[in-house]
Amino acid sequence: GDFSRQPDRHLLGAETPTEPPHVLIVESTYGVMEHEPRELRELRFTSAVHNIVKRGGRCLIPVFALGRSQELLLILDAYWRQHPELHGVPIYYASGIAKRCMRIYQTYINMMNDQVRDAHAAGRNPWEFSFVRNLPSSHQFDDAQPMVVMASPGMLQQGLSRELFETWCSDRRNGLVMPGYSVAGTLANHLLTEPKEIQTTSGDWVPVNLSITYISFSAHSDFAQTSEFVTSLRPRHVIHVHGGEDEMKRLQRALAKRYDPKEVEFLTPQNCQAVHLRFPGDKVARVIGSLAEVAPADGAEVSALLVLKENKYTLLAAADLHTATPLASTTIVQRPRFRYDRPILELLAAVGRIFAFEEGAEEE
């Protein structure tokens, strides 16, 4: 259900399927919220990082191993290339998993956007950065100078990103730039409230003096992307997943206002809750006999018999019934008789309002 319709520095946006689905499963991560434009987002990101190292601080960027890390590396490497005054400031990439994930991007160049594919076609590896270097260990580098470190995990719960944050958070020159979504209950989410101090993993309390900047580079769809995606596909059923209950409900209500409930059904199931869907079955009939000799024009009326046998439908002309099937046609003639004492003309007038008389019938 996770997707993004917005292309970024290396990946294409989610494509629209050629065949509209009956069921669309979509995420609800951001509910009815909308992302800021990509250009503005990148400008805020590079400005925040630049301001931190310019004042002599160390910039920590907690990231996940796959997805946004590669985009941020491309942005930073391009920005450093355009600013010679930053060439002496190192950018460290500290994630063993992310380095292994980089092989996936190098292998599937054909799934990247035009910018990455064109660079590869010209003989330049877009994943060989000019200003980004790997950080083998937090104990093997000197952090006395301004620098930028991208480290995992993105939620700051443990690992190198948590270790560096606890070491740097007391210095006002330093800064934390959070580029992704943070789950409630994690340190990354707690820092959005700008606490005065936090408890370290060892149990000590340390002051939080560094600057904290949140810029969403999340690859999750926002309301504008989700609503546009649903409109382009027009599925019969939409199932919301991957989101908090409140966000899912808000997204469901906002989308449901735009469609007739008889046309599109929006569902927000709980975890492990079964979803039961009803689909109108398409009935297909095989056309045989003289009826199949000439294809009817679009919109033309067809007079035929529909035969059902063993759950299979057959369409044929009435004249072909006895030759194409073991069935036979029978003509039934009904002659009703009743006593009538009124004038015959009154009876004929009444019957004429219901049935058409054949020629000569009135004379008889």
Side-chain angles (χ1 to χ4, degrees), residues 258-335:
R258 303 187 175 196
Y259 304 96
D260 185 339
K262 296 180 180 179
E263 297 179 358
V264 185
E265 179 186 24
F266 295 91
L267 303 170
T268 57
Q270 300 288 332
N271 291 341
C272 300
Q273 177 185 348
V275 176
H276 301 277
L277 305 175
R278 297 179 63 88
F279 298 97
D282 293 332
K283 292 182 173 59
V284 179
R286 185 168 62 97
V287 182
I288 62 174
S290 59
L291 200 63
E293 295 176 358
V294 180
D298 290 341
E301 293 185 359
V302 176
S303 177
L305 299 178
L306 183 65
V307 180
L308 173 63
K309 181 180 180 181
E310 297 178 354
N311 294 322
K312 295 181 180 179
Y313 290 93
T314 303
L315 198 66
L316 70 164
D320 297 329
L321 184 66
H322 67 287
T323 58
T325 71
L327 302 175
S329 59
T330 302
T331 302
I332 299 176
V333 178
Q334 290 183 321
R335 297 182 181 275

Side-chain angles (χ1 to χ4, degrees), residues 59-73:
C59 178
L60 173 62
I61 306 174
V63 293
F64 298 102
L66 186 63
R68 297 310 92 198
S69 300
Q70 288 69 32
E71 180 183 13
L72 298 177
L73 289 173

Side-chain angles (χ1 to χ4, degrees), residues 106 109 119-120 122-129:
Q106 294 171 342
I109 293 292
H120 185 265
R124 182 176 65 85
N125 186 349
W127 303 112
E128 289 183 357
F129 302 108

Side-chain angles (χ1 to χ4, degrees), residues 165-166 169-170 196-200 204-209:
F165 176 79
E166 292 179 357
C169 68
S170 301
K196 299 298 181 182
E197 59 181 5
I198 58 105
Q199 188 174 22
T200 66
D204 299 326
W205 289 88
V206 292
V208 179
N209 296 323

